[in-house]
Amino acid sequence: MQNPRVLAALQERLDSVPHTPSSYIETLPKAVKRRINALKQLQVRCAHIEAKFYEEVHDLERKYAALYQPLFDKRREFITGDVEPTDAESEWHSENEEEEKLAGDMKNKVVITEKEAATAEEPNPKGIPEFWFTIFRNVDMLSELVQEYDEPILKHLQDIKVKFSDPGQPMSFVLEFHFEPNDYFTNSVLTKTYKMKSEPDKADPFSFEGPEIVDCDGCTIDWKKGKNVTVKTIKKKQKHKGRGTVRTITKQVPNESFFNFFNPLKASGDGESLDEDSEFTLASDFEIGHFFRERIVPRAVLYFTGEAIEDDDNFEEGEEGEEEELEGDEEGEDEDDAEINPKV
């Protein structure tokens, strides 16, 4: 490789082929390819170290989940009305506090009598009514799953918790949906378990980007008689082939409902691939589970007020703006090039 003639021939060969990564690699000498293979082995070892890193991150998540839980328990008490927050706990300084105070003072001076009467009559419901149901309505990803007949049930939802797998157990997390006694089912808690994997795929180790959800399990909902919204009863006419008589039969068929979330599609474990629709359904389910865990449960009050949704929208708009600006810069560069070299 130190021979100038060999290097020149190699350079000429490289210049004569299309400059795509794969075509470039194919032109390299065997000795260079051998070294590249050694780099790939190092990369696989890096991926396995990265997998261990994420396992320790999961352990940290479990540790800090225990620190968060007392705060989440108090959140539930405020939402359900079991505990009334103190004046100190209720104090919050908003960004528009001065404007609100000024407007409030002016209103007091003009209609103080009416305000006192309205305050006396103002309702004081227990806790924060329909807290979690409001979050479902505010978040598009969740509202798309909710049917009209699901709404009365979700109004009984009192809390959502995330539980991480115990040390030494396979990586997973459980979503717990806590309901107050209701007319629809006898369960006090509905669960959804998401199983995770944090190891490079043997067939494609370079695709590893951290833990991924690989499967999930739901739970059995003990519906009260006539209250199961995940099925509907239809009537169907059948004609007897011999006698020609017609009879009407009724049967239950699946019905769209948020509560199908607790009866998920199972990932194929026998090596057979799922069809495209099933893969999309499973991927959507995994995305929803991840969203509950990472966003909804930790920041519930901000999704209730809509502040977190506005932040998400602003972030997305910012990304789009950057892309548009980048495209504009690229166009500008082309114009500059054209001025420097009129032949272009």
Side-chain angles (χ1 to χ4, degrees):
M1 291 296 293
Q2 303 302 319
N3 190 320
R5 286 187 176 182
V6 174
L7 291 173
L10 176 60
Q11 186 61 51
E12 183 179 353
R13 186 178 176 188
L14 290 175
D15 291 341
S16 65
V17 299
H19 287 282
T20 61
S22 58
S23 61
Y24 169 69
I25 298 301
E26 288 301 318
T27 64
L28 296 175
K30 288 183 178 180
V32 176
K33 290 180 181 178
R34 179 173 174 274
R35 297 173 194 130
I36 293 173
N37 290 339
L39 294 184
K40 287 184 176 182
Q41 281 205 32
L42 294 177
Q43 191 63 45
V44 171
R45 291 169 65 182
C46 286
H48 284 280
I49 293 173
E50 186 180 6
K52 293 296 182 184
F53 164 77
Y54 283 114
E55 288 178 6
E56 293 194 21
V57 168
H58 189 72
D59 292 337
L60 275 176
E61 286 183 308
R62 183 191 305 109
K63 172 185 174 181
Y64 279 89
L67 300 179
Y68 288 132
Q69 196 54 52
L71 302 178
F72 293 159
D73 289 341
K74 179 163 280 194
R75 177 178 71 185
R76 174 178 178 164
E77 291 174 341
F78 291 162
I79 291 170
T80 59
D82 292 340
V83 173
E84 188 66 26
T86 65
D87 290 341
E89 290 172 328
S90 302
E91 186 176 352
W92 182 257
H93 301 287
S94 66
E95 294 179 359
N96 302 321
E97 185 177 13
E98 291 300 323
E99 295 179 10
E100 292 171 358
K101 185 177 183 300
L102 179 60
D105 290 343
M106 292 178 64
K107 185 175 180 181
N108 284 341
K109 293 176 182 179
V110 177
V111 290
I112 188 167
T113 306
E114 294 180 7
K115 186 175 184 297
E116 288 175 352
T119 302
E121 297 173 2
E122 187 177 45
N124 183 17
K126 186 179 180 182
I128 305 176
E130 302 178 5
F131 179 84
W132 292 100
F133 172 61
T134 301
I135 293 174
F136 272 73
R137 287 191 305 183
N138 288 347
V139 178
D140 289 342
M141 184 187 296
L142 303 182
S143 64
E144 292 173 356
L145 303 176
V146 177
Q147 308 300 318
E148 186 176 350
Y149 38 82
D150 292 327
E151 295 181 1
I153 312 175
L154 289 172
K155 290 178 181 180
H156 294 286
L157 181 59
Q158 294 187 313
D159 198 12
I160 303 177
K161 296 181 179 181
V162 179
K163 296 289 183 67
F164 292 92
S165 53
D166 293 331
Q169 296 298 313
M171 188 182 293
S172 67
F173 67 92
V174 181
L175 298 177
E176 294 182 351
F177 294 75
H178 293 251
F179 288 83
E180 65 183 350
N182 59 78
D183 296 332
Y184 298 91
F185 45 73
T186 59
N187 311 65
S188 59
V189 181
L190 301 181
T191 61
K192 183 76 170 282
T193 302
Y194 286 91
K195 302 173 183 178
M196 305 175 69
K197 181 182 77 170
S198 181
E199 59 179 299
D201 190 301
K202 292 181 180 179
D204 185 17
F206 304 131
S207 65
F208 180 73
E209 295 182 347
E212 59 178 336
I213 298 173
V214 293
D215 202 2
C216 56
D217 292 322
C219 67
T220 300
I221 303 178
D222 300 319
W223 295 99
K224 295 182 179 180
K225 187 175 181 181
K227 298 294 185 177
N228 188 350
V229 295
T230 65
V231 295
K232 59 183 177 182
T233 302
I234 62 170
K235 293 183 178 181
K236 188 176 181 181
K237 291 184 177 181
Q238 285 186 339
K239 186 175 183 180
H240 194 280
K241 291 183 179 180
R243 297 191 296 269
T245 56
V246 177
R247 66 172 183 172
T248 301
I249 63 169
T250 60
K251 69 175 190 176
Q252 288 188 330
V253 296
N255 194 29
E256 289 188 4
S257 168
F258 164 73
F259 290 91
N260 289 320
F261 180 73
F262 300 99
N263 183 27
L265 183 71
K266 294 292 293 178
S268 178
D270 53 10
E272 295 183 6
S273 59
L274 298 171
D275 59 58
E276 188 174 340
D277 288 343
S278 297
E279 285 185 355
F280 177 79
T281 300
L282 205 59
S284 299
D285 190 317
F286 293 170
E287 183 180 3
I288 293 167
H290 182 77
F291 195 77
F292 269 117
R293 167 188 158 173
E294 295 292 327
R295 307 301 291 275
I296 298 294
V297 173
R299 308 177 71 202
V301 65
L302 301 181
Y303 282 96
F304 175 79
T305 62
E307 294 166 85
I309 298 167
E310 292 172 4
D311 289 344
D312 291 346
D313 291 342
N314 290 337
F315 179 74
E316 291 173 2
E317 289 173 5
E319 284 185 331
E320 291 174 1
E322 288 175 6
E323 290 176 1
E324 291 174 1
E325 185 177 344
L326 181 60
E327 290 173 1
D329 290 343
E330 290 173 351
E331 290 174 0
E333 289 172 2
D334 291 341
E335 291 175 1
D336 291 344
D337 291 344
E339 291 177 3
I340 294 170
N341 183 6
K343 292 182 181 180
V344 174

Coordinates of all heavy atoms in Angstrom, one line a residue, residues 73-86 89 126-127:
D73 N -49.3 10.0 45.3 CA -50.3 9.6 46.3 C -51.1 10.8 46.8 O -52.3 10.8 46.9 CB -49.8 8.8 47.4 CG -49.3 7.4 47.0 OD1 -49.7 7.0 46.0 OD2 -48.5 6.9 47.8
K74 N -50.3 11.9 47.1 CA -51.0 13.1 47.5 C -51.8 13.7 46.4 O -52.9 14.3 46.6 CB -49.9 14.1 48.0 CG -50.5 15.4 48.5 CD -49.5 16.2 49.4 CE -49.5 15.7 50.8 NZ -48.9 16.6 51.7
R75 N -51.3 13.6 45.2 CA -52.0 14.1 44.0 C -53.4 13.4 43.9 O -54.4 14.1 43.7 CB -51.2 13.9 42.7 CG -51.9 14.3 41.4 CD -51.0 14.0 40.2 NE -50.8 12.6 39.9 CZ -50.0 12.2 38.9 NH1 -49.3 13.0 38.2 NH2 -49.9 10.9 38.7
R76 N -53.4 12.1 44.1 CA -54.6 11.4 44.0 C -55.6 11.9 45.1 O -56.8 12.0 44.9 CB -54.4 9.9 44.2 CG -55.6 9.1 44.3 CD -55.4 7.6 44.4 NE -56.7 6.9 44.5 CZ -56.8 5.6 44.3 NH1 -55.8 4.8 44.0 NH2 -58.0 5.0 44.5
E77 N -55.1 12.1 46.3 CA -55.9 12.6 47.4 C -56.6 13.9 47.1 O -57.8 14.1 47.4 CB -55.1 12.7 48.7 CG -54.7 11.3 49.2 CD -53.8 11.4 50.4 OE1 -53.2 12.5 50.7 OE2 -53.6 10.4 51.2
F78 N -55.8 14.8 46.5 CA -56.4 16.1 46.1 C -57.4 15.9 45.0 O -58.5 16.6 45.0 CB -55.3 17.0 45.6 CG -54.4 17.5 46.7 CD1 -53.1 18.0 46.4 CD2 -54.7 17.4 48.0 CE1 -52.2 18.5 47.4 CE2 -53.8 17.8 49.0 CZ -52.6 18.4 48.7
I79 N -57.2 15.0 44.0 CA -58.1 14.8 42.9 C -59.4 14.2 43.4 O -60.5 14.7 43.0 CB -57.4 13.9 41.8 CG1 -56.3 14.7 41.1 CG2 -58.4 13.5 40.8 CD1 -55.4 13.8 40.3
T80 N -59.3 13.2 44.2 CA -60.5 12.6 44.7 C -61.2 13.3 45.8 O -62.4 13.1 46.1 CB -60.2 11.2 45.3 OG1 -59.2 11.3 46.4 CG2 -59.5 10.3 44.2
G81 N -60.6 14.3 46.4 CA -61.2 15.1 47.4 C -61.1 14.5 48.8 O -61.7 14.9 49.8
D82 N -60.3 13.4 48.9 CA -60.1 12.8 50.2 C -59.3 13.7 51.2 O -59.5 13.6 52.4 CB -59.3 11.5 50.1 CG -60.1 10.4 49.4 OD1 -61.4 10.5 49.3 OD2 -59.5 9.4 48.8
V83 N -58.5 14.6 50.6 CA -57.7 15.5 51.4 C -57.9 16.9 50.7 O -57.8 17.0 49.5 CB -56.2 15.2 51.5 CG1 -55.4 16.3 52.1 CG2 -56.1 13.8 52.2
E84 N -58.0 17.9 51.5 CA -58.1 19.3 51.0 C -56.7 20.0 51.1 O -56.2 20.0 52.2 CB -59.2 20.1 51.7 CG -59.5 21.5 51.1 CD -60.1 21.4 49.8 OE1 -60.8 20.4 49.5 OE2 -60.0 22.3 49.0
P85 N -56.2 20.5 50.1 CA -54.8 21.1 50.2 C -54.9 22.4 51.1 O -55.9 23.1 51.2 CB -54.5 21.6 48.8 CG -55.8 21.6 48.0 CD -56.7 20.6 48.7
T86 N -53.8 22.6 51.8 CA -53.7 23.8 52.7 C -53.5 25.0 51.8 O -53.3 25.0 50.6 CB -52.5 23.7 53.6 OG1 -51.3 23.7 52.8 CG2 -52.6 22.4 54.4
E89 N -50.2 25.0 50.2 CA -50.1 24.0 49.1 C -50.8 24.5 47.9 O -50.5 24.1 46.8 CB -50.7 22.7 49.6 CG -49.8 21.9 50.6 CD -50.5 20.7 51.1 OE1 -51.7 20.7 51.3 OE2 -49.8 19.7 51.5
K126 N -66.5 18.1 45.1 CA -65.4 17.3 45.8 C -64.2 17.1 44.9 O -64.4 16.6 43.8 CB -66.0 16.0 46.3 CG -65.0 15.2 47.2 CD -65.6 13.9 47.7 CE -64.7 13.1 48.5 NZ -65.2 11.8 49.0
G127 N -63.0 17.4 45.4 CA -61.8 17.2 44.6 C -61.8 17.9 43.3 O -62.3 19.1 43.2

